[in-house]
Amino acid sequence: MGLIQAVKGTRDILPDEIGYWQWVEAVARGIFAKAAYQEIRTPIVEPTDLFERGIGEATDVVGKEMYTFKDRGDRSITLRPEGTAGVVRSYIEHGLATQGSVQRLWYLGPMFRYERPQAGRQRQFHQIGVEVLGSPSARADAEAIAIATEILQTLGLKNLELNLNSIGSPDDRRAYREALVAYLTPYKDELDSDSQDRLTRNPLRILDSKNERTQAILQSAPSILEQLSTESAQRFEQVQQLMQDLGIRYTLNPKLVRGLDYYTHTVFEIQSSDLGAQATVCAGGRYDGLVAELGGAGTPAVGWAIGLERLMILLQQLSQTPTAKVDFYLVSRGDRAEAQALILAQQLRRLNFAVELDLSGSAFGKQFKRADRSGAAACLILGDAEAETKTVQLKWLASGEQQAIAQADLAAKVDDLRQQIATIRTE
């Protein structure tokens, strides 16, 4: 029988890199908790209509990239291609608006899009995202951006650039769409094939084209900032002032529109020059019409998502793999010793020590070598003699200092052991 491998565009996250993922999750959880954001977990599968209505049928995501299938009840089901629509569906379905005027929510999990796999882009990919529902204030936009910035900076990322734009209200966007189509139509034959298709379906996405000729044509295209109403322009000025007040540097990018139909007003991307062509590590914006579009009451909202695969590429360039610290490596040999070692390991774990129990049953010499490689602060040794006397040999691996301790006395020495381990970690 042939070897079964992972589906193309998916990948296993192995133990030697999982430390990065756990580190990112821990940092994000801590920052969200300080800002009073609450976690929400929505299903991986949703009704297809959710994304067709929410994201827009003319978008590339809905038109080309979704994993859609019929279930056994002949219902059309889709693996979620992004997180916002599912969170909004849950917000409406469970009446979260009644639990407070503003809901600050965050999520973490896999998304699915049928794209050509490449570095930082998989068909199953992972995102951390936030959604702030219920506030029309420019401060909500600024807070969301500030939290994303804090997460990335706390992780040690450098060479970051915030690109900022406003696409205004739906009326502003329609006016700009008409102006852009009028400008580009005479150049239709010179545009790349994707842009020719988008000219009637989704003309704002032409601004994202990577084709050199198309970008040259766009140099003289009208700017969306010129189409903003007075109210929209003033709101965007507030967002920019708040960025300045927070000390967050940004670049105005009038070509930044984002690819999904639900966006209004503020849109942004945080990019890293260390990522090459796939430079965006965080992206988001305001979407004041989405809740109503999906059947809820009109609700202003703003959110973003960080792509974890791209973030991992950056973190691996910056630092060694974060690894869990082992306090004790426990080696044992002989039936009685091995039985006592298991009990001892569990006792120490209940006292909040990290203990790796060698389960190999191999000779002491091989177990000691694994102890040296484990990164543990100390090695606990149980052999026939120790099993007979209910003692354990405690060996500090850095110094080689070793002493016999009664197993029953270990609990009484918790504070001393913890202090000595902490001293070793800081040396």
Side-chain angles (χ1 to χ4, degrees):
M1 296 181 64
L3 181 66
I4 298 176
Q5 296 183 327
V7 174
K8 183 178 181 180
T10 68
R11 61 182 297 271
D12 301 306
I13 302 169
L14 301 175
D16 64 355
E17 62 175 307
I18 200 68
Y20 287 110
W21 294 78
Q22 294 170 339
W23 178 33
V24 169
E25 291 167 18
V27 167
R29 286 179 187 277
I31 290 172
F32 290 145
K34 289 188 294 183
Y37 281 64
Q38 295 181 302
E39 185 178 6
I40 185 170
R41 302 186 185 190
T42 61
I44 290 174
V45 294
E46 295 274 10
T48 301
D49 186 48
L50 172 67
F51 303 112
E52 291 178 343
R53 288 171 56 187
I55 297 175
E57 293 189 62
T59 62
D60 286 350
V61 171
V62 172
K64 300 178 181 180
E65 298 171 1
M66 293 202 313
Y67 280 92
T68 298
F69 55 92
K70 291 289 185 72
D71 69 4
R72 292 180 182 269
D74 202 36
R75 293 171 288 253
S76 183
I77 302 294
T78 295
L79 297 177
R80 62 185 184 192
E82 55 95 55
T84 300
V87 171
V88 171
R89 189 266 311 147
S90 181
Y91 173 84
I92 298 168
E93 183 175 343
H94 299 288
L96 295 185
T98 64
Q99 299 179 19
S101 59
V102 177
Q103 289 289 305
R104 292 177 168 91
L105 306 172
W106 72 272
Y107 61 85
L108 163 68
M111 312 294 163
F112 304 84
R113 296 186 190 180
Y114 190 86
E115 298 182 283
R116 179 180 297 174
Q118 54 185 282
R121 176 183 287 176
Q122 300 291 322
R123 290 174 179 172
Q124 176 180 308
F125 58 99
H126 299 77
Q127 290 183 340
I128 289 179
V130 305
E131 314 294 350
V132 182
L133 299 113
S135 174
S137 172
R139 290 187 302 161
D141 304 27
E143 180 185 80
I145 295 171
I147 287 174
T149 302
E150 183 179 0
I151 289 172
L152 297 175
Q153 290 179 342
T154 301
L155 292 169
L157 268 61
K158 310 293 183 184
N159 304 318
L160 296 174
E161 180 181 32
L162 170 64
N163 278 245
L164 195 63
N165 192 26
S166 173
I167 56 175
S169 67
D171 288 341
D172 299 336
R173 187 165 175 159
R174 279 190 290 271
Y176 179 63
R177 177 188 174 117
E178 292 175 4
L180 184 62
V181 169
Y183 170 78
L184 289 174
T185 298
Y187 298 100
K188 180 177 180 180
D189 293 341
E190 300 179 53
L191 299 174
D192 61 275
S193 58
D194 283 344
S195 295
Q196 290 178 13
D197 180 55
R198 289 169 174 166
L199 190 59
T200 53
R201 278 194 317 114
N202 196 355
L204 270 63
R205 285 302 311 278
I206 297 175
L207 300 176
D208 291 335
S209 173
K210 302 298 188 290
N211 182 273
E212 291 184 4
R213 176 55 186 159
T214 298
Q215 280 299 320
I217 293 170
L218 288 169
Q219 289 297 317
S220 300
S223 166
I224 195 167
L225 296 177
E226 298 168 353
Q227 303 293 330
L228 296 183
S229 66
T230 300
E231 182 180 358
S232 296
Q234 289 175 345
R235 189 185 190 288
F236 189 44
E237 288 174 3
Q238 288 181 325
V239 173
Q240 293 178 72
Q241 184 60 56
L242 290 167
M243 292 294 97
Q244 295 170 27
D245 293 345
L246 289 167
I248 298 176
R249 299 175 61 183
Y250 64 90
T251 299
L252 280 180
N253 183 357
K255 293 182 180 178
L256 177 60
V257 294
R258 305 296 300 138
L260 309 182
D261 283 355
Y262 54 60
Y263 283 112
T264 58
H265 295 292
T266 307
V267 290
F268 69 92
E269 291 182 352
I270 302 177
Q271 300 180 344
S272 170
S273 58
D274 295 328
L275 270 175
Q278 302 298 327
T280 301
V281 69
C282 176
R286 178 160 284 276
Y287 51 95
D288 289 346
L290 182 57
V291 178
E293 178 65 30
L294 295 178
T299 304
V302 63
W304 53 254
I306 290 175
L308 294 187
E309 276 74 10
R310 294 182 187 178
L311 183 57
M312 296 306 153
I313 292 174
L314 289 174
L315 294 179
Q316 289 169 15
Q317 293 173 358
L318 286 173
S319 61
Q320 295 181 344
T321 306
T323 55
K325 300 293 187 183
V326 177
D327 296 319
F328 298 111
Y329 192 95
L330 209 166
V331 305
S332 56
R333 181 79 168 161
D335 291 343
R336 289 182 63 191
E338 289 171 0
Q340 290 181 22
L342 176 59
I343 296 169
L344 185 59
Q346 285 300 98
Q347 289 174 343
L348 289 168
R349 289 163 183 163
R350 284 194 289 269
L351 294 170
N352 286 327
F353 289 107
V355 182
E356 181 173 349
L357 173 62
D358 193 307
L359 296 171
S360 67
S362 56
F364 272 129
K366 290 183 178 180
Q367 293 190 53
F368 290 147
K369 289 179 180 178
R370 285 192 286 271
D372 289 334
R373 294 194 299 266
S374 70
C379 180
L380 294 171
I381 306 161
L382 267 167
D384 290 335
E386 287 78 22
E388 181 68 28
T389 59
K390 294 291 184 70
T391 60
V392 62
Q393 294 290 328
L394 170 63
K395 180 180 180 181
W396 297 102
L397 292 172
S399 66
E401 179 185 348
Q402 184 169 327
Q403 64 183 118
I405 300 175
Q407 294 177 30
D409 291 345
L410 278 175
K413 297 179 178 293
V414 164
D415 291 339
D416 290 341
L417 292 171
R418 188 164 283 123
Q419 179 59 49
Q420 197 151 352
I421 291 171
T423 300
I424 290 170
R425 298 290 187 222
T426 57
E427 289 177 351

